[in-house]
Amino acid sequence: AQKITQTQPGMFVQEKEAVTLDCTYDTSDQSYGLFWYKQPSSGEMIFLIYQGSYDEQNATEGRYSLNFQKARKSANLVISASQLGDSAMYFCAMRGSNDYKLSFGAGTTVTVRA
Amino acid sequence: SAVISQKPSRDICQRGTSLTIQCQVDSQVTMMFWYRQQPGQSLTLIATANQGSEATYESGFVIDKFPISRPNLTFSTLTVSNMSPEDSSIYLCSATWTSGIYNEQFFGPGTRLTVL
């Protein structure tokens, strides 16, 4: 079984500053993938970034980067230069190598202040 | 990448009725899934939609309540049957590939269902 833990229910960040969203996971799979999604109030799930368990380098996508620490089983998302449009719910998710089903964390609400 | 569309985008339904949600992907995908997001909650997997065969349901979800079809590699439907107010949720379709370089897993825009 896979478990995703996001311990920050909500965070406030000042515009143009960076914010780190925590995510820890637990799995017995040797090969797995970690995802981050953004869900604005409209409800759509926007894919942000992916990290494979065997990837040696941390994933980056524009202003998003994933701080992957395999030994600690953590996959924190860093959003740099926050913008007002970054205000949303953020979900960390994981899937194993066998069935491609995603397990989601509880989510973190980010509010960017002007 | 893939673009996923869902219809309807939202609906308000009466208790005891059924609603069928359609999911269309703009390219052939290997895997399709249906998730439910209850108000203020995270996403929970309902089932994996298997092409040409019965869907694989997660614990707590049954075919009589959530019948699913997947006639081809780009289309799936989810029916929410005999609805009750507890079924009020966002229902999301998801798709991915199992081979090649594509690791993304995409979601449709969701169907926001309210049951009165």
Side-chain angles (χ1 to χ4, degrees):
Chain A
Q2 298 162 349
K3 183 177 180 180
I4 303 292
T5 302
Q6 294 180 255
T7 58
Q8 305 154 310
M11 297 187 70
F12 291 93
V13 59
Q14 205 64 30
E15 194 177 11
K16 300 181 183 178
E17 292 185 349
V19 61
T20 298
L21 309 183
D22 294 340
C23 173
T24 59
Y25 60 91
D26 191 20
T27 182
S28 57
D29 289 349
Q30 295 301 309
S31 176
Y32 50 88
L34 296 155
F35 299 75
W36 278 93
Y37 290 90
K38 172 184 178 181
Q39 187 179 44
S41 57
S42 59
E44 62 187 311
M45 292 287 286
I46 301 169
F47 167 76
L48 296 178
I49 197 166
Y50 168 85
Q51 179 84 43
S53 59
Y54 289 111
D55 293 340
E56 294 185 353
Q57 291 190 329
N58 288 341
T60 60
E61 290 287 347
R63 294 187 298 110
Y64 304 106
S65 60
L66 200 152
N67 183 2
F68 180 47
Q69 298 188 44
K70 192 171 182 177
R72 294 185 177 185
K73 295 189 175 181
S74 74
N76 298 339
L77 177 71
V78 180
I79 306 174
S80 62
S82 296
Q83 303 171 355
L84 295 177
D86 294 334
S87 295
M89 176 75 86
Y90 290 81
F91 289 99
C92 179
M94 173 180 198
R95 76 181 185 197
S97 59
N98 294 328
D99 54 26
Y100 293 85
K101 298 186 290 188
L102 285 175
S103 299
F104 284 86
T108 297
T109 301
V110 173
T111 303
V112 181
R113 291 169 164 162
Chain B
S1 66
V3 176
I4 304 176
S5 59
Q6 283 184 236
K7 287 193 295 188
S9 59
R10 60 177 63 230
D11 208 341
I12 301 173
C13 300
Q14 295 297 318
R15 181 196 299 259
T17 62
S18 299
L19 176 72
T20 295
I21 303 168
Q22 297 180 3
C23 174
Q24 180 74 55
V25 189
D26 70 344
S27 59
Q28 292 186 344
V29 290
T30 315
M31 307 289 289
M32 293 183 74
F33 305 92
W34 286 98
Y35 289 82
R36 180 177 73 180
Q37 186 178 26
Q38 295 177 299
Q41 303 295 313
S42 185
L43 281 74
T44 301
L45 179 64
I46 297 172
T48 303
N50 300 310
Q51 185 203 354
S53 64
E54 190 172 291
T56 304
Y57 290 85
E58 297 300 303
S59 175
F61 297 96
V62 295
I63 188 171
D64 289 347
K65 176 67 175 176
F66 297 101
I68 289 170
S69 76
R70 188 183 172 191
N72 56 48
L73 291 176
T74 64
F75 185 78
S76 178
T77 66
L78 167 73
T79 299
V80 186
S81 302
N82 189 25
M83 288 184 284
S84 67
E86 292 71 35
D87 294 320
S88 297
S89 298
I90 299 175
Y91 292 86
L92 297 119
C93 173
S94 175
T96 190
W97 299 265
T98 58
S99 62
I101 64 172
Y102 303 109
N103 291 307
E104 298 94 335
Q105 190 150 343
F106 297 96
F107 283 81
T111 296
R112 195 179 294 264
L113 172 63
T114 302
V115 184
L116 302 177

